[in-house]
Amino acid sequence: MLAFLLLAVLSVGGLVVRQSSLRYRAANAADAAQGKAPAFSWPAYFSWLRKRGREMWTKKTLSRAWAVLKSWSTDHYPGPLGWAFAGLVASFLYQAASGLAFAFFVPRGMFGLALLAHVGSGGLFALSLAAVLFWRARDYGPGKTGSSTFSGFACPVFKNLSRSEVGKMAFWALAFFGFIQIATALGSMLPVFTFRAQVAMIGIHRYSALALLLSALLFADVVFLPPPKKYGDTSLICPQKWTDK
Amino acid sequence: MHRKSKSQRKRGRFYFSREKQNRPLFLSWVAGVVFLTADFAAAGQTAKPAPWDGSRVTPVHQIPLKDEFGQTIVPTERHPLPFSARTSCAPCHDYEVVRKGWHFEAGPASPAGRPGEPWVLVDDRTGTQIPLSFRPWKGSFPPSALGLSAWDFTLHFGRHFPGGGVAEPSEEEMAPGSRWGVSGRLEVNCLGCHNARRSQNPSEWAKQILRENFRWAATAASGLGEVGGMSSRLDPTWDIFDGPNPDDTEWAVPPSVRYDRTVFDSKHRAFLDIAAKPDDARCLACHAAAPAAVPKFDFDEDVHTAAGLACVSCHRHDVSHAMIRGYEGEGKDHPAVLSEDFSCRGCHLGGRTAAREKIMPGRLGAPYPKHNGLPKVHLDRLSCTTCHSGPLPAREPARVRTSRANRLGIYGIANWVQDMPAIFEPVYLRDTNGKLTPHRLFWPAYWGKRNGKEISPLRPAAVLEAAGDILFPEKPVTRILAALFNTVDLPGTPVLFMDGKSFEVNVDGGLDAAEFPGAKAGEMRWAMKKDGAILPLVADFDPADAEAAAEPEIFIQKLLEALRTTEAAPGEPVLIHRGFQYKIVESQVEKIASPEDAATQGLFFWLRDGRRLPFVPEFERRTVGALANSGKALTEEQVRRVLETLGGPSSVYLAGGKVFKLGGENSLKSEDHEAAEPVAWPLAHQVRPARQSLGVGGCTDCHRTASEFFFAEVRGQGPLLSRASSLRPGSAYMNLTAPYHLLFGMSFAVRPFFKIILGAAAAAIGSVLLAAFLLAVGRWAGLTEKGR
């Protein structure tokens, strides 16, 4: 359990730092190009992060974010599918919050009404994910959306992934780990698997949930959050020195 | 050669001569004294027993038996003493080590460990059932709290006690007024467990304890000899050296032993059929528990027994007799426990000891349970016994009787079994390790004095003394019936019909009640039972008709003469019949007209100072009628009256989970109190087969709205006839909230549909993922055309 908690902290924290540091680089790129400031420095980054954080958690920003999300979902999930998307997001948010909260703060594990709601929202998650996948999977196929402009994501390892490609990967990762979540939850309810298998399924469920959370964070960053206007589709993901161009 | 002088011979003393020729003799004498002293000294020390040599065979025990003084018993002697385990077994088995074992060493200083079944002091008359224990277990009182000395305790509970411990006190520990000098000490009864002879008789043990023949009890119970006589009838000054009294061979006969000589060989060595591993019957003599409602033929033994295991297969120990109790966490309570392998988990699942050492499962072939479909939380939060032991949960916990509490397994002329205390199972509580565990419990009932929040119990004898006849409501009835027995030429057995029941005196001087459909409620009449038929005590006749009344009036005279002998009669017995009053005046029956009683037939009453008193006072009549066949010992009215005699608002009575105290205006008030909470101890047996475990029928065995597991009605029971008693759902004892588990149980009603939804969603998602994967592989391999 300690390993899981450490991994959760490091991976989620690492991803958040990674994505935000890239945005910082993009925001700082002009000054860096003119030599007014280094391309990246940790103190400057944290200062920028604090400032952005304060700006984000204002009523104005939150309502703007809600409007963006709403308009995005209306565009991409019109009609009844919007409900499926809303259900997916709501159920995921609750499950992530309850799962993390109990994992970190309650050694006994999830219990009580929280567990009941967690399991119940799991059903909603399963149905809405199936609906979303069924109707929208095609849109996340290769070459379907976005430009083919390449720019490294997991640089310096992968150098030629565009933002839209990363979004697709995040989508399919979401789908895959969501499937694992549903399968392990369902498996533990069936009188088929032995106790050892039950224990293993709980472990898989836990780590898969973490992977699902990371995929969702990446998806949200790449798909929902607008890129820095100045740099469009490029260089958001990867610092300029690692791009091909 | 030195000769003794005449005076030296007369003195008869060994006279040390100064002559050198006597020096060798002197030295021999000194050497002899030294040798004998050393020999006695050696005899007083326990020889160090040899360690186990590895043989799997129990040595044949053909050994000399010794009495408590270490003298070899010769069975052919007159008045041999009973054998002593301390001296007979000691050369090979260290008695002092054995008596520190779990069965023998209970005391406040000994580690409490997990609570076990307490001793229960029961007194039907005062409605007392109070848990006692020498170990500091929650809810139990130390015997000293009730003024019970080691002697009192041994007398009360020695019937199911293995000896040793408090029953073998040192000289300093003997309380004044005890009779240890007469009875002897009750040593550890080795043969009580280790005798393989079928003649080992726990009933004989109980009988000898009752007779205060403590030092003889082991001999009698083992069947090695017959023991006659009773220490209880001897003077307190008698001791074993006094021997029998030739002037009294009928009443105060000291105990004596006549050994079975066929057991002894020519060298006076007795053959003891020793079982190193006792038979289950030895354990069950004291540790049996059986549901009250299940007939004997239908009672299933523990699944481990059915599989061929014995009690001692798991409850093992070495010579220290530090018995392995076999519960989870025993290593934490008793760090010196011999092994932690023998808990349910240890044998079946493995795990780790308190010292974090690995336990390998599978001992004695214990099967590994797959627990298919069982969520992990159950093994974390529930003990194994919750699902596998004891009776299945029902709407109400079931009544169970145990050997030690209800005095089971003692057979003879007297009936030892007692109905109280009323023990119930299963009720699920948190064990000391926090896991839900099935328990047996009973609600204590006793009289007490309240001091702030504390309630200290009163001795039943003290309550009895203060309450007097309040606690003997049947006395007026039994006295009258006993007096009627004295009626000359009475053709049947006198009985009383009252409130739909018939009452008859039994051999113990109490009343036996039976339902009688013919009797009307509220009616009271005296009658006779003859050949199964019921006859009125006073047949109907017309007193005005002298001829017809002659014979009945003769019988009435006999009745009234007999009734005059009633013990503690409050007046003169008088009969009213059809307008005439009959009473005895100067040995003759006086018949006086009483026109106002023209409609009355066969009514008896007492006449005192010109006043008519009811034949059976109203309080006694109400109480006897209410308690008859109720299984209860006291009514609320009795409790109120006794509390008044005990004096003060600080006097209370506890029963059924409530504390009763005097309210205003002749009323009784009840309230909750921690002292009235039930005393509980975990149960582990009988273990049911896996196919009868909780959950074999699915989650809804426990998780449903009407679940007996969570929502059984646990109602406080006790000797008091009252509507006021504790009533709680089973979940309250588990420290769980009932509404949540109701909701959780409701969710299982839709769970099958939920699984279908999840399955369908997983199938849909899986198929999309599979299709996407195949497409991606195809594109990568160039098998499919890339998207335009």
Side-chain angles (χ1 to χ4, degrees):
Chain A
M1 190 64 184
L2 186 61
F4 170 78
L5 295 177
L6 276 173
L7 185 64
V9 167
L10 290 174
S11 57
V12 173
L15 183 66
V16 167
V17 165
R18 173 102 180 116
Q19 296 306 102
S20 60
S21 68
L22 290 176
R23 285 180 181 271
Y24 165 72
R25 280 176 190 278
N28 196 41
D31 287 342
Q34 290 167 15
K36 289 180 185 173
F40 185 85
S41 83
W42 286 105
Y45 160 69
F46 281 119
S47 171
W48 172 86
L49 195 66
R50 267 198 302 276
K51 185 179 157 204
R52 291 285 297 178
R54 274 199 294 271
E55 284 168 9
M56 269 171 54
W57 289 108
T58 59
K59 202 172 171 185
K60 189 177 164 189
T61 315
L62 287 170
S63 58
R64 208 169 65 193
W66 172 249
V68 164
L69 182 66
K70 210 170 162 187
S71 105
W72 186 93
S73 68
T74 309
D75 290 341
H76 292 83
Y77 296 93
L81 212 55
W83 288 106
F85 179 74
L88 181 66
V89 172
S91 60
F92 171 76
L93 284 175
Y94 172 75
Q95 290 184 314
S98 57
L100 279 175
F102 276 87
F104 275 93
F105 303 115
V106 183
R108 173 186 159 179
M110 204 181 298
F111 65 97
L113 287 170
L115 176 62
L116 211 52
H118 189 95
V119 173
S121 63
L124 179 61
F125 177 84
L127 276 177
S128 41
L129 181 63
V132 162
L133 260 184
F134 220 72
W135 271 281
R136 296 283 292 161
R138 202 184 288 269
D139 298 332
Y140 290 89
K144 276 285 179 179
T145 53
S147 72
S148 59
T149 309
F150 293 118
S151 159
F153 160 59
C155 43
V157 177
F158 296 110
K159 295 183 183 172
N160 297 321
L161 291 178
S162 67
R163 194 169 128 254
S164 61
E165 298 261 320
V166 172
K168 287 175 199 173
M169 284 169 60
F171 175 85
W172 288 107
L174 259 168
F176 175 72
F177 289 116
F179 170 75
I180 298 293
Q181 292 299 90
I182 297 163
T184 50
L186 178 62
S188 65
M189 290 184 203
L190 300 175
V192 169
F193 298 100
T194 64
F195 181 75
R196 282 185 177 160
Q198 295 266 346
V199 173
M201 278 196 281
I202 288 179
I204 293 169
H205 191 89
R206 197 174 278 146
Y207 285 93
S208 165
L210 182 59
L212 184 64
L213 177 64
L214 292 171
S215 309
L217 285 173
L218 186 62
F219 185 84
D221 183 59
V222 168
V223 173
F224 292 141
L225 298 181
K229 290 189 183 70
K230 195 167 179 181
Y231 293 92
D233 196 39
T234 63
S235 78
L236 167 67
I237 306 303
C238 199
Q240 277 184 324
K241 68 173 181 181
W242 287 329
T243 57
D244 287 339
K245 296 179 182 175
Chain B
M1 177 81 180
H2 173 78
R3 285 174 190 260
K4 285 185 188 175
S5 66
K6 192 173 176 183
S7 61
Q8 286 168 358
R9 284 200 299 273
K10 276 184 183 172
R11 282 197 294 270
R13 276 180 281 171
F14 186 86
Y15 188 74
F16 285 92
S17 166
R18 291 177 186 175
E19 297 287 336
K20 285 186 182 176
Q21 290 93 327
N22 285 330
R23 192 163 295 162
L25 194 59
F26 165 69
L27 289 173
S28 305
W29 185 86
V30 169
V33 168
V34 169
F35 174 77
L36 284 171
T37 310
D39 189 37
F40 278 124
Q45 294 167 3
T46 308
K48 216 166 171 64
W52 179 47
D53 62 357
S55 170
R56 299 277 304 277
V57 173
T58 304
V60 173
H61 283 65
Q62 187 118 23
I63 58 172
L65 295 183
K66 296 191 179 174
D67 60 29
E68 64 193 79
F69 305 107
Q71 301 298 309
T72 302
I73 287 168
V74 178
T76 50
E77 276 182 354
R78 284 189 72 215
H79 308 300
L81 291 180
F83 84 92
S84 158
R86 185 171 49 82
T87 54
S88 302
C89 309
C92 299
H93 306 290
D94 196 331
Y95 184 88
E96 293 305 316
V97 168
V98 169
R99 69 192 290 256
K100 289 189 175 65
W102 176 258
H103 276 96
F104 316 114
E105 52 78 53
S110 51
R114 190 172 82 159
E117 181 182 345
W119 297 99
V120 187
L121 182 68
V122 173
D123 184 74
D124 283 330
R125 190 59 68 181
T126 56
T128 297
Q129 52 185 46
I130 186 165
L132 303 176
S133 177
F134 287 104
R135 300 183 206 272
W137 289 335
K138 188 184 170 205
S140 295
F141 293 93
S144 54
L146 276 139
L148 290 180
S149 63
W151 172 260
D152 298 321
F153 180 87
T154 307
L155 268 187
H156 273 291
F157 302 113
R159 51 176 163 82
H160 284 98
F161 193 71
V166 296
E168 198 180 4
S170 61
E171 292 286 338
E172 295 79 28
E173 290 166 345
M174 292 182 183
S178 59
R179 291 166 55 89
W180 296 106
V182 179
S183 68
R185 294 178 176 86
L186 193 65
E187 292 178 350
V188 171
N189 184 16
C190 305
L191 293 182
C193 294
H194 292 288
N195 190 7
R197 284 182 83 183
R198 304 296 277 183
S199 60
Q200 183 67 33
N201 189 352
S203 301
E204 185 65 32
W205 172 268
K207 194 169 80 180
Q208 296 299 329
I209 299 297
L210 184 68
R211 293 176 175 179
E212 297 181 16
N213 296 346
F214 293 169
R215 58 162 65 87
W216 291 266
T219 304
S222 64
L224 287 172
E226 288 176 41
V227 172
M230 291 193 198
S231 290
S232 56
R233 290 181 178 171
L234 301 175
D235 281 338
T237 53
W238 183 91
D239 74 26
I240 203 165
F241 298 107
D242 290 346
N245 179 1
D247 297 327
D248 184 355
T249 55
E250 298 266 334
W251 176 252
V253 178
S256 60
V257 187
R258 199 162 64 182
Y259 282 98
D260 179 359
R261 295 180 190 182
T262 61
V263 171
F264 291 82
D265 66 9
S266 62
K267 296 177 186 171
H268 308 306
R269 298 177 304 184
F271 170 66
L272 302 180
D273 192 1
I274 294 296
K277 295 185 181 182
D279 189 63
D280 285 1
R282 303 285 171 260
C283 310
L284 292 174
C286 296
H287 292 287
V294 176
K296 187 176 179 182
F297 80 91
D298 206 20
F299 180 73
D300 285 350
E301 57 192 357
D302 192 288
V303 71
H304 297 88
T305 311
L309 268 65
C311 304
V312 295
S313 299
C314 301
H315 298 292
R316 304 181 179 191
H317 55 76
D318 59 9
V319 71
S320 68
H321 285 66
M323 183 158 282
I324 295 169
R325 296 176 71 191
Y327 63 90
E328 273 184 71
E330 191 174 2
K332 280 188 205 155
D333 294 334
H334 303 278
V337 69
L338 294 168
S339 174
E340 290 180 70
D341 290 11
F342 294 99
S343 62
C344 316
R345 203 176 281 256
C347 278
H348 287 279
L349 293 171
R352 295 208 174 263
T353 66
R356 308 301 301 160
E357 289 166 2
K358 202 169 171 207
I359 299 173
M360 182 179 273
R363 285 189 81 149
L364 302 172
Y368 180 81
K370 290 182 187 167
H371 286 130
N372 284 358
L374 184 70
K376 180 176 172 287
V377 66
H378 292 79
L379 291 198
D380 292 338
R381 306 276 298 159
L382 273 59
S383 69
C384 306
T385 49
T386 299
C387 301
H388 291 288
S389 292
L392 286 163
R395 184 43 45 192
E396 291 176 347
R399 185 85 186 265
V400 63
R401 288 189 291 233
T402 72
S403 296
R404 292 194 294 130
N406 300 102
R407 311 203 308 187
L408 308 182
I410 304 173
Y411 305 106
I413 295 172
N415 183 14
W416 284 70
V417 175
Q418 60 189 17
D419 198 45
M420 283 165 56
I423 301 175
F424 293 87
E425 63 172 15
V427 179
Y428 300 90
L429 284 80
R430 301 271 164 205
D431 202 354
T432 46
N433 57 16
K435 292 191 179 185
L436 215 55
T437 307
H439 283 63
R440 292 188 178 118
L441 57 72
F442 74 92
W443 286 266
Y446 57 91
W447 303 86
K449 284 285 186 192
R450 187 182 224 161
N451 186 3
K453 285 190 178 170
E454 298 289 321
I455 296 178
S456 45
L458 296 173
R459 287 194 72 175
V463 174
L464 210 57
E465 197 182 323
D469 282 346
I470 299 171
L471 295 177
F472 291 88
E474 76 286 356
K475 266 188 183 170
V477 177
T478 56
R479 284 168 177 167
I480 291 168
L481 289 174
L484 285 172
F485 264 112
N486 296 332
T487 305
V488 176
D489 300 330
L490 187 73
T493 307
V495 294
L496 168 67
F497 287 93
M498 187 170 69
D499 299 334
K501 297 185 186 72
S502 69
F503 295 87
E504 204 174 318
V505 177
N506 59 31
V507 292
D508 296 318
L511 279 180
D512 285 341
E515 296 296 324
F516 186 72
K520 296 175 200 156
E523 181 189 25
M524 184 171 95
R525 59 189 170 94
W526 302 90
M528 298 181 281
K529 243 181 16 179
K530 184 184 175 188
D531 300 330
I534 304 298
L535 308 167
L537 198 61
V538 176
D540 194 14
F541 68 98
D542 183 4
D545 183 347
E547 199 176 320
E551 204 176 315
E553 285 174 358
I554 291 170
F555 185 65
I556 287 171
Q557 179 173 352
K558 290 176 184 173
L559 281 175
L560 291 175
E561 279 169 355
L563 286 169
R564 288 182 102 205
T565 65
T566 304
E567 187 186 341
E572 280 292 321
V574 173
L575 172 70
I576 300 285
H577 187 72
R578 289 194 181 276
F580 284 86
Q581 176 182 289
Y582 295 87
K583 73 174 184 183
I584 300 289
V585 175
E586 292 179 2
S587 306
Q588 295 295 323
V589 65
E590 181 186 79
K591 182 176 169 182
I592 302 170
S594 177
E596 65 272 20
D597 298 315
T600 306
Q601 286 186 47
L603 176 68
F604 286 92
F605 59 89
W606 303 103
L607 190 68
R608 186 170 71 196
D609 300 329
R611 286 188 307 120
R612 291 182 185 183
L613 301 173
F615 217 42
V616 177
E618 277 305 308
F619 165 68
E620 279 80 359
R621 181 200 162 132
R622 277 197 302 274
T623 306
V624 167
L627 293 177
N629 290 346
S630 66
K632 304 294 182 182
L634 299 171
T635 61
E636 284 192 4
E637 188 177 3
Q638 279 182 295
V639 170
R640 182 180 56 74
R641 289 188 178 212
V642 172
L643 289 176
E644 285 166 357
T645 64
L646 289 174
S650 62
S651 299
V652 293
Y653 177 67
L654 286 75
K658 296 281 189 186
V659 169
F660 293 86
K661 60 181 185 181
L662 290 172
E665 292 181 13
N666 282 347
S667 68
L668 206 59
K669 276 174 63 174
S670 67
E671 61 186 31
D672 293 330
H673 192 281
E674 194 188 345
E677 289 293 308
V679 61
W681 60 97
L683 70 91
H685 299 285
Q686 310 296 344
V687 178
R688 299 188 301 274
R691 291 183 64 186
Q692 291 187 351
S693 57
L694 266 182
V696 73
C699 308
T700 48
D701 277 3
C702 298
H703 296 291
R704 55 189 158 82
T705 50
S707 157
E708 290 91 358
F709 181 77
F710 287 106
F711 306 116
E713 287 180 359
V714 185
R715 181 180 288 280
Q717 302 278 347
L720 177 63
L721 185 67
S722 171
R723 284 209 183 105
S725 63
S726 155
L727 176 62
R728 283 188 236 159
S731 55
Y733 288 93
M734 303 178 197
N735 291 332
L736 297 174
T737 49
Y740 168 72
H741 284 279
L742 202 60
L743 184 66
F744 195 64
M746 283 166 61
S747 75
F748 280 81
V750 298
R751 202 165 158 99
F753 304 107
F754 188 73
K755 289 182 203 173
I756 292 171
I757 289 169
L758 280 186
I765 296 166
S767 56
V768 171
L769 283 170
L770 183 65
F773 173 73
L774 291 173
L775 202 63
V777 166
R779 290 241 170 110
W780 176 76
L783 296 172
T784 55
E785 200 180 328
K786 287 192 179 176
R788 299 190 187 96

